[in-house]
Amino acid sequence: MAKLPKPEELSKIDYTPPKTSWMDTPVVFKEGMFCHGSKPKSLELVGFPNPRDWRPADADWKLPENWKQILLEGIAERLEKYRSFRLFMDICVRCGACADKCHFFIGTGDPKNMPVLRAELIRSVYRKEFTLAGKIFGKMAGARELTIDVLKEWWYYFFQCTECRRCSVFCPYGIDQAEITIIGRELLNLLGLNIEWIAGPVSNCYMKGNHLGLEPHTIVGNLEYMLDDIETVTGKRIKPTFNRKGAEILFVTPSGDLFADPGTYTCMGYLMLFEELGLDYTWSTYASEGGNFGFFTSNEMAKRLNSKIYAEAKRLGVKWILGGECGHMWRVLSQYMDTWNGPADFLEVPKSPITGTVFENAKSMKMVHVAEFTADLIKNNKLKLDPKRNDHLKVTWHDSCNVARGMGMLEEPRYVLKNVVNNFVEMPEDTIREKTFCCGSGTGLNASEDMDLRMKGGFPRANAVKFVHEHYGVNMLANVCAIDRATLPPLMDYWVPGVKVAGLHELVANALVMTGEKERTTDLRGEPLPGIEQKEEKA
Amino acid sequence: MIHGNMNLNHYLIEKKSTILKKWFDAVVETYPHETSTFLRKQKAQFTNPVGYTLSEGIEHLFDALLQGMIPDTVSRFLDSIIRIRAIQEFSPSEAVSFIFQLKKVVRLELGKEILGQQGIAEELAVFESAVDDLALFSFDLFMKCREKIYELKANEAKNMTFRLLQQARLIVDNQD
Ligand code: SF4
Ligand code: SF4
């Protein structure tokens, strides 16, 4: 740490930044704002271009000599392939409606995090190389040369966008910056400019079926520990099956649920719910990842990683697939899986064996989100619930970008939540539902080395939580996303200490009255249930 | 306007809204132009949390200075501002520079005439030293926030390896 200047010295320093146009303000890589570069091994394993040791903060990125040509050809190809991309490059009128809607802009105060400017990073090059006006008028027409500095700027800012789509809600033309970032990252990928936090999980997933690289025995082992914990809490020993052929349902969840708290409590929730229902289902140790970090590198990679889900469903001969709580997993599955890996005509339209409800919305994809599944159970009165067991919690709901804004799943999780807890408080209107604020760590930005970025990007979300914490005593932030469960705890720890994070099915399982269970004295975290402490004291 | 024998506090209360406005301006001008324009929309508590926190915070800090530094108010509002600055700016001096801006604003607002009045200079010295105290306190808060960031990084790594260590039987349950 540098020597602290004296107060008198400080008052003399002028911090007003120079007023230069954004094009003339070169990017400065600030510590804490970016992730480590990808390792050569991670790229090699999946056949990604330009595997080498490189560091983002270094001047030399060790690019192939013809890097510019590769990029320009890459842009041309994508302009051809994706009509939306060409449209987004052309139609922005720079009205500014999106400018202040991005959590990264709000939190960092960096103008290049305004969605309109983030798009302009690439659009300026598009103008220069692909439009007549840009070729003739250059800078006057908002066009600029693709240089190494421009490339670095792309990298820095496309990895400061979580593809959350909040900005698109406010754009009169529906321009979706998420799509631009997706393509921006694809282009960077052509030069091997990935981050390890994405590239590592991608290669793990490719080799082992899940981001963490857990092997079958580890998956089973981890679940065994959870089963022990469930037995301690409920007195019941659950025996789930793995890779069982002929099961009715294949269950696929993000591997984060198998691995780190508080995701593991959510996972215990699934296990308990399915046991109570007597569901004919199986886990797979091969299709052991619902999430898809490939989606943050290229469309093609996402497709490759996703193919195992249908393949495993086919191998096991199940009728349909049930998916765990996840955000981006769900966007990928519902918007792409059918086109990429379908048609899944060997599967049946999902039908709840408990209620008989046919999930028409999943007619083609054949996969149902567990929140929809459980909402249907409750609606049909199939669960015995004791929400009092969650009375020690005051819960608020975080709409995860991908499921809420991306897919419109707004009511189902709320319906479930209201049935399993007695104390539920919404956050302020501008920060929930389709206007929800991102956790700030999505799209593979949940590494540790970019913690500063994450804290800034998550600030608008945290600020709304702080409000309900201070005014209504909220102490639990619930959600249906594995990345949220991993990233919101540190966010809360920094901005709103005292608020914990839980998946929806952890709270469901706390409330779920199971046949033959012993009297519960603790919740799934081993914390005493409300009323229990007093009872014990009296005894 | 003729001022009788008013003391510094009276002047500061009288000029409070101008002082706060200028102080706020001085703070947001440390951001790039496009950003400072946005931050000035201070009423939007949830869609402009940085602008809101800054403007709410400096008002409470100013009141606290006038009323003799109420510890709870000071720590609460200073914390909410520094918590933001500590991740937005990476040097402690940048993060707390806004505190010192207040001295400048106050001197400019009071003007030569008032500053020349009897007794005001002494009172101003006391006031300014209270501002310096705020700044010192801010340095501490800044360091705490930075330490917190390091702690979060470390905890994340720990949490992620917990189940694997448990697997490897390196962590033994209490009951065992
Ligand atoms: S709201 Fe749409 S049209 Fe307006 S500046 Fe943003 S992207 Fe362009
Ligand atoms: S998609 Fe989200 S993160 Fe990306 S620019 Fe838009 S609001 Fe920001």
Side-chain angles (χ1 to χ4, degrees):
Chain A
M1 182 63 57
K3 204 172 123 269
L4 295 185
K6 297 208 180 65
E8 316 79 75
E9 286 167 17
L10 273 171
S11 53
K12 285 185 206 117
I13 303 172
D14 183 9
Y15 287 107
T16 313
K19 289 191 174 58
T20 49
S21 109
W22 69 269
M23 273 201 205
D24 303 320
T25 313
V27 58
V28 182
F29 279 52
K30 288 190 180 171
E31 203 53 47
M33 293 295 285
F34 57 94
C35 298
H36 299 319
S38 43
K39 293 185 182 140
K41 207 173 132 224
S42 308
L43 300 192
E44 260 157 30
L45 268 170
V46 293
F48 273 160
N50 201 20
R52 77 233 176 269
D53 260 318
W54 73 292
R55 294 221 315 247
D58 286 352
D60 180 9
W61 277 7
K62 302 180 190 165
L63 299 175
E65 229 159 80
N66 61 339
W67 66 267
K68 200 168 157 179
Q69 185 198 349
I70 296 176
L71 279 187
L72 292 177
E73 282 171 13
I75 297 177
E77 187 194 325
R78 282 159 186 82
L79 285 168
E80 193 71 19
K81 207 153 99 188
Y82 305 112
R83 263 190 34 221
S84 55
F85 182 43
R86 182 174 283 274
L87 209 64
F88 294 164
M89 287 295 102
D90 282 330
I91 61 171
C92 170
V93 293
R94 298 193 234 178
C95 68
C98 62
D100 56 3
K101 304 302 187 293
C102 174
H103 51 285
F104 283 117
F105 170 67
I106 296 172
T108 60
D110 180 345
K112 282 179 192 164
N113 273 322
M114 291 176 168
V116 53
L117 267 198
R118 200 189 309 282
E120 210 62 24
L121 300 179
I122 216 167
R123 201 179 273 132
S124 51
V125 171
Y126 163 77
R127 283 204 197 95
K128 173 82 190 156
E129 301 290 343
F130 298 91
T131 70
L132 193 60
K135 276 182 190 144
I136 300 172
F137 297 112
K139 223 172 169 177
M140 263 160 55
R144 64 173 175 173
E145 199 79 47
L146 176 57
T147 62
I148 197 82
D149 286 338
V150 169
L151 178 67
K152 291 197 169 178
E153 201 172 48
W154 284 11
W155 190 85
Y156 197 63
Y157 290 103
F158 289 139
F159 287 103
Q160 286 187 29
C161 165
T162 41
E163 302 173 8
C164 79
R165 301 174 76 184
R166 188 169 195 270
C167 49
S168 76
V169 173
F170 300 87
C171 173
Y173 296 91
I175 294 175
D176 187 353
Q177 175 58 42
E179 299 258 336
I180 300 175
T181 297
I182 288 171
I183 289 179
R185 290 199 191 177
E186 254 196 56
L187 294 169
L188 293 167
N189 186 52
L190 297 175
L191 302 176
L193 296 172
N194 312 62
I195 62 173
E196 181 56 18
W197 195 257
I198 292 174
V202 165
S203 65
N204 278 340
C205 204
Y206 187 66
M207 298 303 286
K208 306 268 169 72
N210 56 74
H211 292 154
L212 302 161
L214 307 176
E215 294 184 345
H217 59 280
T218 317
I219 295 176
V220 177
N222 270 9
L223 280 165
E224 286 290 334
Y225 277 102
M226 293 182 216
L227 299 173
D228 292 347
D229 288 351
I230 292 173
E231 192 172 1
T232 312
V233 176
T234 67
K236 290 188 67 141
R237 187 75 200 178
I238 296 175
K239 293 191 184 72
T241 61
F242 297 90
N243 309 321
R244 177 164 59 89
K245 288 193 175 170
E248 182 180 353
I249 299 165
L250 167 65
F251 181 64
V252 179
T253 200
S255 61
D257 285 350
L258 304 173
F259 185 71
D261 301 340
T264 45
Y265 305 121
T266 307
C267 196
M268 285 158 70
Y270 309 140
L271 287 160
M272 289 160 68
L273 175 69
F274 301 160
E275 168 74 13
E276 184 56 22
L277 297 171
L279 207 64
D280 178 14
Y281 84 107
T282 184
W283 293 78
S284 165
T285 54
Y286 305 105
S288 49
E289 178 65 69
N292 193 332
F293 270 34
F295 192 59
F296 312 137
T297 63
S298 76
N299 197 53
E300 196 48 40
M301 193 66 231
K303 179 177 167 179
R304 279 161 79 193
L305 294 186
N306 202 74
S307 60
K308 65 177 177 284
I309 296 183
Y310 279 157
E312 182 68 342
K314 195 169 193 173
R315 184 181 77 90
L316 297 176
V318 300
K319 287 188 182 150
W320 57 278
I321 313 166
L322 184 60
E325 293 183 13
C326 188
H328 80 280
M329 150 181 173
W330 217 252
R331 170 141 139 219
V332 169
L333 294 174
S334 73
Q335 293 179 0
Y336 300 91
M337 177 160 75
D338 203 8
T339 331
W340 285 339
N341 314 120
D345 45 13
F346 52 92
L347 293 172
E348 292 174 15
V349 179
K351 179 178 168 186
S352 169
I354 316 298
T355 65
T357 300
V358 178
F359 292 93
E360 293 286 348
N361 58 334
K363 207 165 167 180
S364 177
M365 153 176 79
K366 315 283 196 325
M367 188 156 178
V368 173
H369 192 289
V370 70
E372 297 173 291
F373 179 74
T374 303
D376 173 65
L377 292 170
I378 296 177
K379 184 108 196 151
N380 286 287
N381 227 346
K382 298 291 182 194
L383 299 180
K384 200 165 166 210
L385 298 166
D386 180 5
K388 279 203 303 297
R389 289 178 185 167
N390 282 318
D391 274 358
H392 54 316
L393 305 175
K394 282 219 165 102
V395 187
T396 193
W397 182 252
H398 166 63
D399 287 287
S400 309
C401 307
N402 284 306
V403 275
R405 187 159 39 237
M407 300 175 48
M409 193 190 280
L410 305 169
E411 297 309 330
E412 293 87 342
R414 283 183 169 77
Y415 177 75
V416 173
L417 191 62
K418 284 177 192 162
N419 276 283
V420 300
V421 305
N422 286 322
N423 314 310
F424 169 61
V425 182
E426 286 277 17
M427 281 183 272
E429 201 194 308
D430 280 340
T431 73
I432 55 169
R433 297 179 181 265
E434 44 284 293
K435 290 191 215 148
T436 185
F437 274 119
C438 181
C439 63
S441 305
T443 62
L445 301 187
N446 52 326
S448 295
E449 63 267 21
D450 62 339
M451 194 58 85
D452 289 274
L453 173 70
R454 291 170 52 189
M455 292 302 115
K456 291 187 230 198
F459 177 51
R461 167 75 303 151
N463 180 61
V465 178
K466 189 175 173 197
F467 178 79
V468 288
H469 172 65
E470 284 175 354
H471 286 78
Y472 305 103
V474 162
N475 58 9
M476 185 59 89
L477 179 57
N479 60 77
V480 273
C481 172
I483 294 201
D484 283 331
R485 287 191 285 279
T487 66
L488 290 174
L491 189 74
M492 291 300 107
D493 204 0
Y494 187 75
W495 293 109
V496 207
V499 175
K500 296 214 162 94
V501 177
L504 184 64
H505 280 76
E506 177 187 344
L507 304 177
V508 169
N510 271 344
L512 183 71
V513 180
M514 297 176 76
T515 342
E517 69 179 5
K518 68 171 195 191
E519 195 199 342
R520 290 203 209 171
T521 54
T522 71
D523 62 12
L524 294 192
R525 300 184 180 198
E527 281 158 23
L529 287 181
I532 293 295
E533 264 167 322
Q534 290 93 310
K535 252 195 230 168
E536 275 173 0
E537 271 163 28
K538 268 184 215 150
Chain B
M1 188 175 158
I2 300 166
H3 301 280
N5 268 343
M6 274 164 67
N7 63 14
L8 180 67
N9 256 20
H10 282 112
Y11 287 118
L12 293 178
I13 290 168
E14 191 181 276
K15 293 173 180 294
K16 178 178 158 180
S17 68
T18 337
I19 293 176
L20 283 178
K21 196 185 161 299
K22 297 212 164 141
W23 190 15
F24 183 73
D25 282 347
V27 180
V28 300
E29 261 153 34
T30 58
Y31 292 88
H33 175 66
E34 298 88 333
T35 312
S36 58
T37 314
F38 165 68
L39 291 176
R40 286 200 171 84
K41 291 193 247 159
Q42 1 168 334
K43 288 207 182 83
Q45 180 174 3
F46 302 109
T47 48
N48 178 11
V50 175
Y52 179 87
T53 308
L54 289 175
S55 93
E56 194 203 25
I58 61 169
E59 176 163 4
H60 282 96
L61 290 178
F62 188 70
D63 288 345
L65 279 168
L66 294 186
Q67 291 156 25
M69 300 277 262
I70 309 145
D72 281 355
T73 316
V74 170
S75 63
R76 173 162 171 218
F77 289 97
L78 203 53
D79 183 276
S80 63
I81 296 179
I82 296 297
R83 203 156 283 276
I84 295 173
R85 307 282 289 181
I87 50 165
Q88 284 189 335
E89 307 296 342
F90 294 92
S91 82
S93 66
E94 279 175 287
V96 308
S97 64
F98 76 96
I99 303 269
F100 298 111
Q101 306 277 4
L102 177 61
K103 293 206 247 180
K104 215 159 131 191
V105 170
V106 164
R107 279 180 178 267
L108 279 174
E109 269 317 295
L110 293 178
K112 279 209 179 84
E113 199 196 320
I114 298 176
L115 289 173
Q117 285 178 22
Q118 209 194 351
I120 291 288
E122 290 76 14
E123 283 186 78
L124 188 65
V126 174
F127 175 82
E128 289 191 336
S129 113
V131 173
D132 289 344
D133 287 346
L134 267 192
L136 283 178
F137 189 31
S138 304
F139 280 123
D140 292 347
L141 286 173
F142 176 90
M143 293 314 294
K144 277 199 191 114
C145 290
R146 293 310 307 169
E147 275 160 24
K148 187 78 199 170
I149 295 287
Y150 291 114
E151 185 194 313
L152 293 177
K153 291 183 191 182
N155 282 351
E156 209 157 60
K158 239 189 278 167
N159 186 26
M160 284 192 45
T161 38
F162 175 74
R163 291 274 166 184
L164 284 190
L165 291 174
Q166 195 184 34
Q167 270 277 330
R169 300 207 170 270
L170 291 174
I171 293 173
V172 183
D173 233 317
N174 287 339
Q175 287 118 314
D176 289 3

